[in-house]
């Protein structure tokens, strides 16, 4: 009862707040909600902050146009509060070349959240349009925010970072539900479950079943945890026979990675670190069949530097291949000046021959290209990588063929945060994610990136091998268990077996269809309640 009184007092304060107080409440609730994301994973806080969303929309009913503008305004402040502390680490990238980009840091740290908050505002506005006077309004909010989060993940190349569904991916048992519902299904469930206690403050005379929603939410949480625990218990860890991985994490500073004059220094470090013994009986790189280096590993075009290719061939023993990131020059006539490039992954054998190539398909706005590139460059702007004309996007996502190992699906950098882009008709044996999170320093960003990559493994039932310049490098099995890793901000190597793929998951087979069915059923319930309310 004491908890109910606390909820009642909190709910009344939110419902009656207006003006700057209302905006401040939304801002604080959004900021606290970030604690549900990695590396904190304190998702119980959402049982406090998500009901605030319901009460904010309840209170908007006193405004004009059925409260839709007031709800949208509250949603924008909630989103802004959520995205600023959740994405502050993007500002680190603007300090790598501070003389050129530092002046843009406030724009990045506040401008991007201000834009992303428009999607949260849209979600609140849609919810207000569907709003009911009973507990079904929680479902209205879950439907609307899932729709707006989906749009955030797709419009204008998309940016689904820290989607609300990631709150249900720790502990690992909860995360197993991604194998059924995927990220967008988890987003719907997250909002519906954590916002459900909001109805506890409803007028008992008008809502005699106000306990039904929070009890249903808790029951769903218990069932999801039980399903995940059973799935993990039924899994038998296995590895691919004959495949031994070695991941090299150089922890190079960004000013070195993009400095051609540091070519010899970079190669010496890569070669020495890759051949480092890791313990008694270790013979260095000869222990591995696959050596893996991170994204954009070299401050030069690798295949155009014969001495670098020769050094790689000398490093690799017979039967060992290197998978490495590198910028790749486009095919142009000899003597033509190179002005643009691909962000690529190469598979190279012990003779220095290139066996397979993948060019990054989903480029990073403002990092690898500028919107309206030519116009922006004429105005004096340039992207963080400072490549005139921007990077060239690849034509399609193609599997990498690796000798004596299953084919691999390549994911460069934040390509791993787009669940829709990973689904394939031809099933591969594993996914490989090469990234350079050193742009973002020692911050929460790399932890969030790792967590989202783990969810891709669970969704598809495929292991992920992740090589990051500054960390966190990891080997993740198809259930999201980390079997080997290197910590953030250290250099080193880690040896591991390649986990075997699990069977195709429900999400891997049907994509977002289970989530869409769930949301459609919820929408029918909400619409029926709206009709019932209008006839009272």
């Amino acid at each position: 009862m004491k908890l109910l009184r606390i909820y009642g007092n909190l709910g009344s304060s939110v419902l009656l707040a207006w003006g700057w107080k209302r905006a401040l409440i939304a801002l604080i609730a959004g900021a606290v909600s970030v604690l549900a994301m990695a590396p904190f994973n304190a998702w119980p806080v959402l049982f406090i902050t998500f009901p605030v969303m319901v009460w904010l929309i309840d209170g908007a009913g006193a405004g004009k146009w059925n409260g839709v503008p007031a709800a949208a305004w509250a949603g924008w402040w909630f989103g802004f509060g959520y995205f600023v502390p959740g994405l502050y680490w993007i500002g680190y990238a603007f300090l790598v070349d501070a003389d050129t980009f530092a002046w843009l840091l406030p724009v990045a740290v506040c401008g991007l959240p201000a834009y992303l908050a428009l999607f949260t505002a849209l979600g609140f506005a849609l919810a207000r349009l569907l709003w009911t006077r009973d507990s079904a309004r929680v479902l209205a909010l879950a439907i609307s925010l899932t729709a707006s989060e989906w749009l955030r993940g797709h419009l204008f190349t998309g940016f689904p970072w820290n989607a609300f569904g990631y709150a249900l991916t720790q502990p690992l048992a909860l995360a197993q539900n991604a194998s059924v519902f995927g990220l967008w299904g988890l987003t719907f469930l997250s909002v519906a479950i954590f916002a459900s206690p909001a109805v506890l403050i409803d007028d008992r005379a008008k809502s005699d079943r106000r306990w039904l929603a929070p009890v249903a939410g808790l029951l769903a949480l218990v069932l999801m945890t039980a399903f995940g625990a059973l799935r993990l218990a039924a899994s038998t860890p296995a590895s691919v026979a004959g495949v031994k991985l070695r991941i090299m994490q150089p922890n190079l500073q960004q000013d070195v990675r993009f400095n051609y004059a540091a070519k010899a220094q970079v190669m010496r470090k890569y070669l020495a670190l890759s051949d480092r013994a890791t313990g008694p009986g270790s013979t260095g790189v000869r222990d591995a069949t696959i050596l893996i280096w991170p994204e954009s590993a070299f401050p030069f075009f690798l295949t155009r530097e014969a001495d670098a290719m020769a050094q790689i061939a000398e490093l690799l023993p017979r039967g060992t291949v290197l998978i490495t990131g590198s910028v790749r020059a486009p095919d142009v006539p000899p003597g033509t000046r190179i002005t643009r490039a691909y962000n690529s992954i190469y598979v190279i054998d012990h003779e220095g021959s290139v066996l397979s190539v993948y060019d990054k398909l989903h480029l990073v706005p403002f990092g690898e290209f500028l919107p309206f590139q030519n116009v922006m460059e004429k105005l004096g702007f340039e992207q963080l990588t400072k490549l005139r004309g921007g990077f060239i996007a690849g034509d399609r996502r193609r599997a990498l063929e690796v000798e004596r190992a299953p084919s691999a699906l390549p994911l460069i950098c934040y390509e791993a945060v787009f669940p829709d882009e990973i689904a394939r008709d031809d099933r591969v044996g594993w996914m490989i994610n090469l990234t350079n999170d050193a742009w973002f320093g020692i911050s929460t960003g790399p932890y969030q990136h790792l967590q989202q990559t783990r969810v891709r493994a669970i969704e598809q039932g495929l292991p992920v091998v992740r090589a990051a310049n500054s960390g966190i490098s990891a080997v993740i099995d198809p259930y999201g268990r980390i079997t080997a890793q290197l910590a953030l901000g250290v250099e080193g190597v880690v040896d591991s077996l390649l986990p075997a793929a699990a069977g195709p998951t429900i999400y891997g087979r049907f994509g977002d269809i289970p989530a869409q069915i769930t949301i459609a059923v919820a929408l029918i319930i909400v619409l029926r309640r709206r009709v019932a309310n209008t006839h009272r």
Side-chain angles (χ1 to χ4, degrees), residues 46 50 164-168 185-195:
L46 299 184
F50 276 20
F164 294 137
Y166 287 114
L168 290 175
L186 290 184
T187 296
F188 171 82
L189 291 169
S190 176
V191 178
I193 290 170
F194 295 122

Side-chain angles (χ1 to χ4, degrees), residues 447-510:
Y447 293 96
Q448 294 168 2
H449 198 183
L450 174 65
Q451 181 72 348
Q452 294 175 58
T453 305
R454 291 177 75 185
V455 176
R456 301 292 86 78
I458 298 167
E459 286 171 342
Q460 298 296 331
L462 292 173
V464 177
V465 178
R466 188 170 193 267
N469 168 40
S470 60
I472 306 165
S473 298
V475 178
I476 306 166
D477 82 358
Y479 299 90
R481 291 174 292 217
I482 295 177
T483 61
Q485 75 174 49
L486 286 164
L488 180 63
V490 302
E491 70 171 52
V493 294
V494 62
D495 295 322
S496 173
L497 299 177
L498 174 63
T505 62
I506 293 175
Y507 180 81
R509 289 177 182 273
F510 302 107

Side-chain angles (χ1 to χ4, degrees), residues 160-181:
W161 201 279
N162 281 359
F164 294 137
Y166 287 114
L168 290 175
T169 59
Q170 191 69 23
L172 196 55
L174 269 179
Q176 300 308 305
N177 292 273
S179 68
V180 178
F181 296 106

Side-chain angles (χ1 to χ4, degrees), residues 231-358:
R231 187 170 189 263
L232 289 172
S235 65
T236 303
S239 56
V240 178
V243 178
K244 298 179 179 179
L245 308 172
R246 168 164 283 213
I247 303 171
M248 188 274 294
Q249 182 172 295
N251 196 34
L252 282 178
Q253 297 301 309
Q254 289 299 87
D255 56 352
V256 174
R257 289 174 61 84
F258 293 96
N259 180 5
Y260 183 80
K263 168 188 169 183
Q265 173 189 346
V266 169
M267 286 303 299
R268 280 196 305 270
K269 182 164 188 172
Y270 281 15
L271 297 170
L273 196 53
S274 297
D275 202 27
R276 176 185 291 180
T278 55
S282 172
T283 58
V285 74
R286 285 169 293 284
D287 293 336
T289 59
I290 302 176
L291 173 65
I292 304 172
W293 291 352
E295 176 194 11
S296 301
F298 314 96
F300 51 83
F301 295 117
L302 175 60
T303 56
R304 290 175 172 247
E305 300 285 342
D307 56 338
M309 293 295 287
Q311 288 175 302
I312 289 173
E314 185 178 354
L315 169 72
L316 299 176
R318 181 175 295 276
T320 299
V321 297
L322 169 67
I323 300 178
T324 182
S326 175
V327 288
R328 184 177 79 83
D331 298 325
V332 294
T336 304
R337 182 170 176 266
I338 306 293
T339 58
R340 301 186 68 193
Y342 296 94
N343 188 353
S344 304
I345 294 177
Y346 287 108
V347 180
I348 301 171
D349 69 8
H350 67 277
E351 294 180 342
S353 300
V354 175
L355 304 179
S356 190
V357 181
Y358 164 72

